[in-house]
């Protein structure tokens, strides 16, 4: 289970709940967005999980705006078994 904490969100403009990266799909997505090698450590990235909007802004715990321009975690693909 990914840890959550409240951090300032660049996109939302306020403090919002963020969660750690939760699976290999998200880790690979961050590596691709950042141009990192395939096995680079990316567990210090956080994803906004604002309940007010579908933000999904990606940041690190150390920098308010680590990705320029701001990047969002793509939504999870739909599960074909649920249709």
């Amino acid at each position: 289970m990914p840890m959550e904490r409240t951090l300032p969100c660049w996109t939302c403009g306020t403090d919002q709940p963020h969660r750690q990266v939760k699976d290999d799909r998200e880790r690979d997505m961050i590596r691709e967005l950042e141009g990192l090698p395939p096995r680079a450590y990316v567990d210090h990235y956080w994803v906004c999980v604002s309940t007010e909007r579908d933000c999904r802004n990606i940041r690190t715990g150390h920098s308010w705006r680590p990705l320029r321009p701001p990047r969002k975690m793509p939504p999870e693909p739909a599960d074909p078994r649920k249709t």
Side-chain angles (χ1 to χ4, degrees):
M1 182 83 175
M3 186 171 80
E4 282 196 16
R5 70 182 195 192
T6 301
L7 297 167
C9 180
W10 174 250
T11 306
C12 296
T14 61
D15 289 351
Q16 295 292 331
H18 286 67
R19 66 166 170 76
Q20 287 180 310
V21 178
K22 66 180 179 180
D23 57 22
D24 288 337
R25 180 191 78 86
E26 290 186 349
R27 286 181 187 89
D28 290 341
M29 197 57 100
I30 290 172
R31 288 179 187 118
E32 182 180 320
L33 290 172
E34 285 286 271
L36 299 171
R39 297 177 64 83
Y41 179 80
V42 294
D43 286 343
H44 61 290
Y45 284 85
W46 295 77
V47 179
C48 180
V49 290
S50 170
T51 55
E52 297 169 9
R53 64 173 97 184
D54 187 25
C55 180
R56 300 183 325 270
N57 189 45
I58 301 169
R59 61 163 289 157
T60 65
H62 306 289
S63 176
W64 194 25
R65 292 187 295 176
L67 306 178
R68 291 186 179 102
R71 305 280 176 92
K72 296 181 179 285
M73 181 63 64
E76 292 189 31
D79 187 351
R81 296 175 291 175
K82 293 182 179 179
T83 55

